[in-house]
Amino acid sequence: MEKRSAADKAKMIFLLLYFLILTIERVISLVTVFTGDLSGYDVLDWYMTGLTVGSIVGAYAFILTKCRVAVKNYPNGKTSASPVLRDEEFGKLSIAAGILLLGGMVHTEGTIPPIQFASYGMILVSMAIHTAQNVKAHGNGLLRWLSFSYIVAFSMSIPVVYHTAIELKWLFIPLEIIVSAGMVVLFTVMLRGFYNGTGEYGFSPLPFLAAVIGDAAVLILRWNEEINFFVLIFICVTAALYAVGKIASVKSGK
């Protein structure tokens, strides 16, 4: 039980570091925006700025109103000094993480990509600890680590919303907004299920197909201006992991 508690605490620390680091980066970006020249801002700029503000407010409002850490009760009526961190609490925090991520997937003025990647790294470490916990407790390490890898690759294949100068920008910009936000929502659903469950993912075809179609459309429309190799590579990795994971899931009877 002590090992479980120690792992839960580590899992929570890394998850909270994601919130801290990404919030700091987003606030720095907002300060850059509002202390700079706003005269040249267009609708997309204001959308990205508004989404960033809304994601920070929404994430912490959700945490304050929906997230509660359970306290262990003893027969004598006393409570433990340390909270019991249950999987459903991590599931709730994953929703807040997804809300905050919406504002992290837009390229506002003052964006600092290395800090953003550091924040994403924190949540990946938290996920890895959760996977290791459940492999030790329930076995079937292949399927659980494939689930972890697939969800990570899926998250990395989410396109960031950028400006573009292509002729079809009237089509591309709304499309990239829908694809980016939609994939964040899908990732959030997967992340919540991952934490609420035992680290296994059912490899549902609908999120996978939505990601492939959405990324393909975004990549193709902007192909001649700039090839987004990061998204291209990770959607290919996502596809490969989906195929392997689906086979492993069927063989394990899931």
Side-chain angles (χ1 to χ4, degrees), residues 165-176:
I166 63 174
E167 293 183 5
L168 293 176
K169 64 181 180 179
W170 58 269
L171 173 62
F172 176 80
I173 290 174
L175 178 65
E176 70 171 345

Side-chain angles (χ1 to χ4, degrees), residues 156-171:
M156 293 297 176
S157 69
I158 301 172
V160 176
V161 177
Y162 285 95
H163 276 282
T164 182
I166 63 174
E167 293 183 5
L168 293 176
K169 64 181 180 179
W170 58 269
L171 173 62

Side-chain angles (χ1 to χ4, degrees), residues 13-227:
I13 288 170
F14 282 107
L15 188 55
L16 293 179
L17 281 173
Y18 157 81
F19 284 98
L20 176 64
I21 296 171
L22 186 56
T23 300
I24 290 173
E25 189 279 335
R26 290 289 76 198
V27 169
I28 291 173
S29 176
L30 289 173
V31 170
T32 302
V33 168
F34 289 112
T35 57
D37 182 11
L38 302 178
S39 61
Y41 270 40
D42 58 16
V43 174
L44 180 58
D45 288 311
W46 286 116
Y47 162 78
M48 294 190 292
T49 301
L51 183 63
T52 300
V53 173
S55 68
I56 295 173
V57 173
Y60 288 99
F62 186 90
I63 290 173
L64 291 173
T65 58
K66 299 295 183 181
C67 297
R68 296 286 185 275
V69 177
V71 177
K72 185 176 180 180
N73 294 310
Y74 289 95
N76 59 9
K78 295 182 179 180
T79 58
S80 65
S82 299
V84 178
L85 305 175
R86 297 174 178 170
D87 287 341
E88 58 263 32
E89 298 303 327
F90 289 98
K92 290 178 182 178
L93 281 173
S94 69
I95 297 175
I99 295 171
L100 186 61
L101 185 60
L102 284 168
M105 288 290 107
V106 292
H107 191 79
T108 48
E109 289 291 332
T111 293
I112 311 173
I115 296 181
Q116 287 189 334
F117 279 112
S119 71
Y120 303 149
M122 296 301 101
I123 200 170
L124 299 188
V125 173
S126 177
M127 292 172 64
I129 294 172
H130 184 70
T131 302
Q133 280 182 290
N134 283 288
V135 169
K136 184 176 181 179
H138 306 289
N140 203 356
L142 176 62
L143 184 58
R144 287 185 166 83
W145 283 112
L146 279 172
S147 298
F148 164 78
S149 301
Y150 173 75
I151 296 172
V152 170
F154 185 99
S155 71
M156 293 297 176
S157 69
I158 301 172
V160 176
V161 177
Y162 285 95
H163 276 282
T164 182
I166 63 174
E167 293 183 5
L168 293 176
K169 64 181 180 179
W170 58 269
L171 173 62
F172 176 80
I173 290 174
L175 178 65
E176 70 171 345
I177 288 173
I178 293 170
V179 172
S180 180
M183 287 184 67
V184 169
V185 171
L186 291 173
F187 167 67
T188 303
V189 172
M190 286 190 277
L191 187 63
R192 182 171 184 255
F194 172 82
Y195 275 120
N196 279 347
T198 58
E200 287 187 2
Y201 178 67
F203 294 94
S204 172
L206 294 180
F208 169 68
L209 290 175
V212 170
I213 294 170
D215 276 356
V218 168
L219 287 167
I220 290 170
L221 280 173
R222 201 171 173 228
W223 191 269
N224 291 330
E225 180 185 53
E226 181 183 358
I227 301 174

